[in-house]
Amino acid sequence: MAKKHLADYMQEQLAGARRNLALSAIDFSIPDEKILELRESVRREAADVQRLKKKKGFLGFLGL
């Protein structure tokens, strides 16, 4: 049950990171380095969400 809440939290973080990245692409006053940092944070958040979705429990690596 806690994993479900954690997955929801990570989904919210990913959505927020994507939103910030989209807004920074429109706002030209944001430096390129900041945009690159935002892109990397979106990649990390997406990887974390995928990792949480893959795990299903103690025997998740067996596909059970």
Side-chain angles (χ1 to χ4, degrees), residues 5 9-13 17-18 20 24-25 27-28 30-32 34 39-40 42-43 48 51 55 60-61 63:
H5 295 296
Y9 173 74
M10 294 305 293
Q11 284 282 43
E12 290 173 10
Q13 292 293 330
R18 283 184 177 159
N20 288 340
S24 68
D27 185 5
F28 295 111
I30 298 175
D32 291 340
K34 180 66 176 174
R39 288 181 66 198
E40 183 59 32
V42 168
R43 286 186 188 125
D48 289 343
R51 182 182 49 81
K55 288 188 176 182
F61 67 93

